[in-house]
Amino acid sequence: MLYGRASLRAEAFFFHVESRKLLSERHEATDLSIGAFISELKKASKRMTCHKRYKIQKKVREHNKKLRKEAKKRGHRKPKKDIGIPNAAPFKEDILREAEQRKQRLEELKKQQKLDRQKVLEKKRKQDSNKDTSKEKQCEKESTSKPKANPEQQIDKNSKKFFCKELKRVIEASDVLLEVLDARDPLGCRCPQVEQLVIQSDGSKPLLLVLNKIDLIPKENLEKWLHYLNQELPTVAFKSAMQKKDRTMGRRVTKKGTAYTNLSRASLCFGGDCLLKLLQEYSVMKEKVIQVGVLGFPNVGKSSIVNSLKEARVCNVGPMRGLTKCMQIVHVDKQIRMLDSPSIIVAPSSSFHALALRSTTDVDSGNLFDSVDSILKRCSKQQIMMYYNIPDYRNPLEFLTLLAQKRGMLKKGGVPNTEGAAKLVLCDWTGAKMSCYSRPPASWTPSPHLSSEALATVKQAFNFDDLEEDNKSTLKTIKYPNRASSIAFQSSGFTDGILDDTELPEEALTKKSMEVSEDAEEFSEKAEDEVEIKEVKSESNSKTVSEELEAKNEKWGKLPTGKQLDIEAGDLDDAYDFNTDYI
């Protein structure tokens, strides 16, 4: 009994020692290959939820069940086994010999067909290569025989010379011309050179004035302008429809059983029926299909009028200037074709106000402040302050500084972005949202570029009584802005344009741009110096934001102190350190 217990104890002790050895070896293995264990632990688990596993098993069962049903419908068909020729058949050897010969003939036929196809492909390749070489030789001969075209004769489609040629094409191809005017400044949108060319052309083409954007001016001002313009040329009051992304215009969609209109008044066109009526009467009088050319300066709504008459977005429109590059023909109906044209080119000798609002391209950064200055001089300061919600200002630069701070247009270090504010002001004045108006002259005087005989022929082509009645009905259906919320400004009069591409050099420099003030040049120089000062860290900390604004303001006078700008001088000095470059 004692011997048995001692043996059990010895075995237990031996088992304990062996297990300790195994554990130590395992720990050593884990220490050596810990990277392998970590990589195994990082492997994605293949386990899935029971719901997903049961769902997969169910799908598999359904699929197998479907296969079994289809096989049952088809029936069990074993593939037919070739029995071969039985040994008891007579002439067995002859039949096998004929089968082998037939097999050899089929193989030879396939090889022959393959060779024939290769030969046909080689012939085609040779013929193609011969044609290419002959064409190259002909091109070389033509290039040597024909003289090379001068690069000066090739005109860029985005150049002003190309616009002038396209504008002339539209005038020559048209039977009736529409000159589109912005109702906010009708006199400033009239071009005497275009009107003179149209009326004095062969066949005395009639000229119609289309007063667009009539919903942006007060009603009393609109009535005065219609009365003033109708004394000289027939004028149609018009309001274009708003464009939509799906290339459709605003159509009246009513619900069944109700008279509810699912469109806002801004998306509807007013005056289109009146204009179409005049054009259709003229086509009936001439007994032919007429082509109607649309002329005007940028951003007056030429393409929008074509889209409104067509009731579809057939011409590209947008706030960008000079969007229409060439003549576009649009069939409105069986009797009328509309010809959309590029914008009229403003003469380089025009004022800054005309160049800022009527130019086909964006204003240069050097002339931005002069353009804003010309706009502010023609407006009331109180109305500008109420519209932009800014305090009193002394000069244009202070106005742009306040506007930039109000709109959050700040550069690095909190410096007001006056250039961006100037672009914003020009965009407001050329866009279709700002409500402003100009007053017509007190007394009407005939335009010197239009003869009385030509005007008489134009008036005979249209019925003025019906035109006045249609205009009155159009005025009743439009909602006008309040006079108190609109900005009144002084018009600059007729805007001269260029129609002959010979008068327009490739780089036309205006007289006013040649006389740019020294202050504008200093402004650009100091803007360049800013970049150099930021890069060089050894410069002194003497250039502050307040000093920079004073340097920009040399032309306009001194900036006001902290109360008007809501910024103290000490805060401005500590606003930005030019010796540190923030990232």
Side-chain angles (χ1 to χ4, degrees), residues 7 16 95 133 139 246 257 275 301 317 333 349 389 438 455 466 503:
S7 63
H16 179 68
I95 293 169
T133 53
C139 292
D246 57 353
L275 184 58
V317 292
D333 55 22
S349 59
N389 194 15
S438 62
L455 292 176
D466 295 343
E503 298 177 5

Side-chain angles (χ1 to χ4, degrees), residues 216-362:
L216 299 178
I217 62 174
K219 185 177 180 180
E220 298 175 359
N221 184 257
L222 176 59
E223 291 174 349
K224 290 179 182 179
W225 272 116
L226 285 174
H227 177 70
Y228 181 85
L229 295 173
N230 272 321
Q231 295 180 4
E232 196 166 39
L233 289 170
T235 307
V236 180
F238 199 90
K239 188 256 173 189
S240 302
M242 298 293 288
Q243 315 300 321
K244 293 187 177 181
K245 291 183 179 180
D246 57 353
R247 303 187 71 84
T248 59
M249 303 297 296
R251 293 189 179 91
R252 296 185 178 181
V253 181
T254 57
K255 293 182 179 179
K256 292 182 179 180
T258 60
Y260 172 77
T261 303
N262 196 20
L263 293 170
S264 63
R265 296 177 68 85
S267 63
L268 300 177
C269 170
F270 297 97
D273 297 335
C274 175
L275 184 58
L276 283 175
K277 181 181 175 182
L278 289 175
L279 297 176
Q280 287 170 357
E281 288 177 355
Y282 186 77
S283 66
V284 170
M285 184 177 67
K286 293 294 182 180
E287 297 180 353
K288 67 172 185 177
V289 178
I290 61 170
Q291 291 186 346
V292 184
V294 186
L295 310 174
F297 285 104
N299 291 112
V300 294
K302 300 184 294 297
S303 300
S304 297
I305 288 175
V306 176
N307 291 341
S308 299
L309 295 178
K310 181 66 177 175
E311 294 185 353
R313 189 176 177 181
V314 290
C315 299
N316 288 331
V317 292
M320 195 168 126
R321 303 189 186 190
L323 198 62
T324 305
K325 306 293 184 184
C326 59
M327 181 176 71
Q328 296 179 354
I329 302 174
V330 178
H331 294 263
V332 176
D333 55 22
K334 294 180 180 180
Q335 300 296 325
I336 300 172
R337 294 178 190 166
M338 304 296 293
L339 305 181
D340 193 10
S341 67
S343 304
I344 301 172
I345 306 298
V346 183
S349 59
S350 301
S351 61
F352 276 119
H353 185 264
L355 290 172
L357 302 181
R358 311 283 173 241
S359 179
T360 53
T361 56
D362 294 333

Side-chain angles (χ1 to χ4, degrees), residues 465-496:
D465 296 334
D466 295 343
L467 178 60
E468 289 180 1
E469 292 179 1
D470 292 336
N471 283 337
K472 286 180 182 178
S473 63
T474 303
L475 297 183
K476 291 179 182 178
T477 56
I478 292 179
K479 186 178 179 180
Y480 301 95
N482 189 9
R483 182 183 287 271
S485 62
S486 302
I487 300 175
F489 66 97
Q490 184 182 0
S491 178
S492 59
F494 292 106
T495 304
D496 294 332

